[in-house]
Structures are given as structure tokens and as C-alpha cells.
């Protein structure tokens, strides 16, 4: 560690530094889904960002080593689901490597363009992928919203300090 006058204890850039800093950044929790060659795929994402209102566009990041990457790299459409505080188990399932993400515990249906749409989420969208931008060991996926439903139940789920949490009033 290096002491820099007036800046406390600063550390040189590293993957660990980035992870440590972003553990302190509270982020909304989403699940991204797609139709893969052998069935539905999906993953938990905290990198979801609104990009543009006109046209309605969003972005999310995905690691190129992720099990969902082959499907996301080839698909034309993805599902984006905003999770509620009642869905901590669902978020953990979609975050866990090797989990049966679309098993009996996951309630979902096939939506427009064959995209898996999760049930009981506060909001969901089906989006058309418009770009996949290289960013280190990840890709930033830009997607235009085609349709969605913002009227589901629940308050948002938040990820902070390595845990899923609900908002406090």
C-alpha cells in the first residue's frame, strides 16, 4: 500500500482493488436471459445501465468466460429482468456457476422472440441486441428495448458488500 498525501491509503490498480471498490457501490440486481442452442440461459447482472431514451436503449456487461456468453454472443434478443427484494434466492441461483437456473424453482415462460421471461419480477423487457463492445475480459452489450412491463410486484433488490439486500425506508 502506498500513502499519498491527503488521499489516505491508496493502492495501485488491480482486479482486487476494482472488486473492493465496487463492493461499496450499491447496485440494482437484474437477470439477463437468452435462448441458447440447448435451451434457456441466464445470469445475474449488477452492471445494467440505461443508455438512451430515444431510442430506448440499455447496456450490461458479461464476461467472455461466462457460461451464458456463447448464447448472448449469438442471439438477436435478450430478456432483462429487474429483481425484487423477494427474489434473493433467484438472484443467487442465476449468479451461481453450475446452478440449474431454469429448473423447477424458477418460474418462467417463453416470451417474444423466444426470449425466456421470468415471472413475478417488478419489471422486465425484451431487447434487440445492437452491439457487443470488447472491454477487457468482458463485453458491453448494447440493446434496444422492444417491449416490456414495469408493473410487477415488489421493491427492488440491491447488491452491496457481497450480499443481496432490500431497500430500507
Amino acid at each position: 500500500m502506498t500513502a499519498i498525501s491527503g488521499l489516505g491509503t491508496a493502492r495501485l490498480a488491480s482486479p482486487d482493488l476494482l472488486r473492493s471498490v465496487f463492493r461499496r457501490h450499491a447496485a440494482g440486481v437484474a437477470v439477463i436471459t437468452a435462448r441458447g442452442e440447448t435451451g434457456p440461459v441466464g445470469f445475474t447482472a449488477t452492471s445494467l445501465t440505461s443508455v438512451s431514451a430515444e431510442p430506448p436503449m440499455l447496456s450490461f456487461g458479461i464476461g467472455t468466460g461466462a457460461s451464458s456468453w456463447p448464447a448472448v454472443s449469438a442471439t438477436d434478443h435478450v430478456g432483462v429482468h429487474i429483481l425484487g427484494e423477494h427474489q434473493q434466492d433467484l438472484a443467487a441461483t442465476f449468479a451461481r456457476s453450475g446452478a440449474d437456473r431454469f429448473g423447477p424453482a424458477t418460474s418462467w415462460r417463453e416470451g417474444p422472440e423466444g426470449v425466456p421471461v421470468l415471472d413475478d419480477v417488478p419489471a422486465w423487457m425484451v431487447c434487440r441486441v445492437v452491439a457487443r463492445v470488447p472491454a477487457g475480459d468482458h463485453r458491453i452489450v448494447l440493446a434496444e428495448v422492444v417491449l416490456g412491463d414495469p408493473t410487477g410486484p415488489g421493491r427492488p433488490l440491491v447488491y452491496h458488500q457481497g450480499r443481496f439486500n432490500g431497500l430500507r425506508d
Side-chain angles (χ1 to χ4, degrees):
M1 294 199 197
T2 306
I4 299 175
S5 180
L7 295 180
T9 305
R11 299 177 1 200
L12 292 175
S14 69
D16 183 56
L17 174 64
L18 187 70
R19 286 185 202 101
S20 294
V21 168
F22 273 90
R23 275 188 206 105
R24 294 180 167 271
H25 174 70
V29 181
V31 166
I32 310 299
T33 60
R35 179 178 55 195
E37 285 188 20
T38 60
V41 301
F43 64 98
T44 299
T46 56
S47 60
L48 182 65
T49 304
S50 172
V51 173
S52 168
E54 200 51 52
M57 191 174 289
L58 56 83
S59 71
F60 60 87
I62 179 172
T64 55
S67 61
S68 296
W69 172 242
V72 172
S73 72
T75 192
D76 292 332
H77 292 83
V78 294
V80 177
H81 308 82
I82 306 301
L83 298 193
E85 62 187 358
H86 62 287
Q87 295 177 306
Q88 291 184 20
D89 290 343
L90 185 67
T93 296
F94 276 84
R96 193 170 37 254
S97 181
D100 185 4
R101 296 174 179 160
F102 289 90
T106 302
S107 180
W108 66 282
R109 63 198 179 294
E110 186 173 313
E113 305 295 337
V115 171
V117 175
L118 302 177
D119 293 331
D120 200 32
V121 295
W124 62 267
M125 296 170 283
V126 171
C127 304
R128 182 179 60 83
V129 175
V130 297
R132 296 169 186 87
V133 181
D137 61 355
H138 278 61
R139 295 297 180 267
I140 305 301
V141 177
L142 293 168
E144 187 174 347
V145 178
V146 175
L147 66 112
D149 182 356
T151 64
R155 293 164 43 103
L157 183 63
V158 176
Y159 187 74
H160 181 250
Q161 292 289 70
R163 295 190 355 237
F164 297 113
N165 300 283
L167 292 176
R168 292 188 202 135
D169 290 328

